[in-house]
Amino acid sequence: MNRRGFLTVAAGVPLAAAGVVTSPAFAAAAPTVSTATPAADPAFGTATPAADPTFGTAAGAASGAAPMRGRVTGLLVRDPVLVRDASAARLRGFVQPLTWAEAQPEPGGDLSSPALAKLQAAADLARQRGYSRLKLRLLAGWQSPGWALALGGGPMCKWEDPDAVEPDLYDVPVWWAEDFLAAYSAFLPGLAAALEDEPLWGEVTVSGTCTVFAEPCVKQLGVAANRKQALDRGYTAAADRAALETVIAVHHDTFSPMGITSSVAYNPWQFIAASGRMETDPAVTVQLMDYQRTTMGAFGVWENNSLIARRTGGVLEQTRPDYQGMYDHMISGAAAGHPIQFQTGTLAKIQAAGGTAEATASWVAEHGGISVELPRGWEQDTDAIGVNRADQLNRQLAVNAAATLS
């Protein structure tokens, strides 16, 4: 995945003066960011907090929400199995995957014993490693339980992922169907109850309208057979968008009152146009971001799961031009105090684009991100993130997170 370009905005500088254009919806809702500057970190020239700002803060509460448990921040890995002894101290946490299928195998059932055991094991490992917050990557789409896939008239079968080395085929839900959305919504309170008594859980992903990946804007609609199935089942672009807005609102109603944030992984919006072809509309992505911001306030985290960055002439640049508008909106949001975070592309894709895991993590830190999920094998990358560099990055990411807690 190739991206390029970067934009630096200093905290405390008015966005218009910095040359950043924000959408009217975001500008109306943007919080004020403190310009107080503690001791500077020479690695970045920005403020370094005296203590971890993600712990026990009462972040800018959305209406009816409890004090926020704290941001999931710093260098993360995507799965607890990637927390290795030799590199654990360079990290600040990990992401625990959990599929809806394993969590609720029976309709209307409580969270399963295996799911509860997985959540407990994650909390135990986090405490063992000294990590202060955990993120749960809830996975729906093809990883929804069979009984949920049967809703909406049954799954769309042999849904193709065109980016696989060999075509991978999945059974995916009719994600915009009212009964499917109702089932996902009804599942969330049980999950929330399982997280409520464990204060380490700080974030849950919004995944109710996904297909293959936990990225609700990417639906593999470039495949003609996928489009035909969706249209035959009553797909409309309006219903697709409304479904994502529905699950964003349900996540807010479910998790924000207990102080847990919700994140959406954004990409340029894919949809089936009136022509029957797939088109992308980054403007819709920006509108969805602003809807999440308006709905969730500080409890709604903007995320992207495919970042790659490199250094060119000493300057950090992301390597995918078609994502630049979306990234600009994320950067301007971060400058206004809204939380943004990233997952990198795979290490092979990073290296193919001339980048490194260190450059990608540095891009996140320099552009207001609060966390970055590193790729498998990041320790062996050419420009490795050593102990000192990891400490610098973690401090800057914590500074960025503190700016979102007003």
Side-chain angles (χ1 to χ4, degrees), residues 51-132:
D52 180 358
T54 67
F55 225 0
T57 51
S63 177
M68 190 179 295
R69 292 184 173 195
R71 297 286 186 207
V72 180
T73 188
L75 300 178
L76 313 174
V77 287
R78 312 172 188 202
D79 193 288
V81 301
L82 301 179
V83 181
R84 301 183 177 94
D85 289 343
S87 57
R90 285 178 274 174
L91 302 172
R92 290 296 177 267
F94 58 86
V95 181
Q96 175 61 62
L98 180 70
T99 71
W100 184 10
E102 64 184 320
Q104 193 185 36
E106 300 298 329
D110 295 334
L111 216 66
S112 70
S113 295
L116 291 170
K118 179 174 284 190
L119 295 175
Q120 185 61 57
D124 291 345
L125 177 60
R127 284 197 170 84
Q128 176 187 338
R129 297 302 191 184
Y131 301 150
S132 64

Side-chain angles (χ1 to χ4, degrees), residues 50 66 73 86 95 129 141 146 159 178 218 220-221 263 289 298 345 366 373:
T73 188
V95 181
R129 297 302 191 184
W159 191 268
E178 289 187 8
V218 177
Q220 302 79 45
L221 297 175
S263 57
M289 287 178 169
E366 288 195 7
E373 295 177 39

Side-chain angles (χ1 to χ4, degrees), residues 44-371:
F44 290 93
T46 51
T48 303
D52 180 358
T54 67
F55 225 0
T57 51
S63 177
M68 190 179 295
R69 292 184 173 195
R71 297 286 186 207
V72 180
T73 188
L75 300 178
L76 313 174
V77 287
R78 312 172 188 202
D79 193 288
V81 301
L82 301 179
V83 181
R84 301 183 177 94
D85 289 343
S87 57
R90 285 178 274 174
L91 302 172
R92 290 296 177 267
F94 58 86
V95 181
Q96 175 61 62
L98 180 70
T99 71
W100 184 10
E102 64 184 320
Q104 193 185 36
E106 300 298 329
D110 295 334
L111 216 66
S112 70
S113 295
L116 291 170
K118 179 174 284 190
L119 295 175
Q120 185 61 57
D124 291 345
L125 177 60
R127 284 197 170 84
Q128 176 187 338
R129 297 302 191 184
Y131 301 150
S132 64
R133 289 293 177 272
L134 280 170
K135 173 179 175 177
L136 183 67
R137 175 159 287 122
L138 178 60
L139 300 166
W142 72 275
Q143 292 167 297
S144 303
W147 63 265
L149 289 172
L151 300 172
M156 295 181 285
C157 300
K158 297 185 178 179
W159 191 268
E160 182 179 340
D161 172 17
D163 293 327
V165 176
E166 295 181 3
D168 277 340
L169 304 177
Y170 302 87
D171 291 351
V172 305
V174 181
W175 66 85
W176 63 90
E178 289 187 8
D179 52 355
F180 179 81
L181 293 172
Y184 178 82
S185 300
F187 159 66
L188 293 181
L191 175 61
L195 304 180
E196 185 172 16
D197 293 334
E198 176 47 77
L200 289 180
W201 293 111
E203 182 183 325
V204 178
T205 60
V206 177
S207 302
T209 62
C210 298
T211 52
V212 177
F213 306 108
E215 297 171 303
C217 297
V218 177
K219 299 285 194 349
Q220 302 79 45
L221 297 175
V223 177
N226 294 351
R227 293 197 302 274
K228 183 178 187 308
Q229 282 205 78
L231 290 170
D232 287 347
R233 303 298 287 276
Y235 169 96
T236 67
D240 190 358
R241 176 172 173 171
L244 179 52
E245 291 177 346
T246 293
V247 296
I248 286 172
V250 171
H251 266 257
H252 174 60
D253 291 343
T254 304
F255 294 105
S256 298
M258 59 180 60
I260 297 175
T261 63
S262 297
S263 57
V264 177
Y266 289 103
N267 305 79
W269 177 256
Q270 297 179 354
F271 68 101
I272 303 176
S275 64
R277 309 286 296 179
M278 186 195 83
E279 295 183 11
T280 59
D281 190 346
V284 172
T285 301
V286 168
Q287 292 164 11
L288 287 165
M289 287 178 169
D290 290 342
Y291 173 83
Q292 185 190 9
R293 172 66 179 85
T294 300
T295 302
M296 293 183 164
F299 286 81
V301 183
W302 295 346
E303 182 171 4
N304 170 257
N305 285 356
S306 46
L307 180 69
I308 296 172
R310 63 192 173 206
R311 284 187 172 85
T312 302
V315 175
L316 287 168
E317 59 179 14
Q318 67 87 10
T319 63
R320 189 162 188 172
D322 54 331
Y323 278 49
Q324 188 61 51
M326 183 186 79
Y327 286 156
D328 285 348
H329 193 67
M330 295 179 77
I331 293 164
S332 63
H338 192 72
I340 66 171
Q341 63 191 20
F342 295 84
Q343 180 189 98
T344 73
T346 65
L347 187 57
K349 290 181 178 179
I350 291 173
Q351 293 173 339
T356 64
E358 187 276 333
T360 305
S362 297
W363 188 98
V364 175
E366 288 195 7
H367 291 82
I370 66 173
S371 71

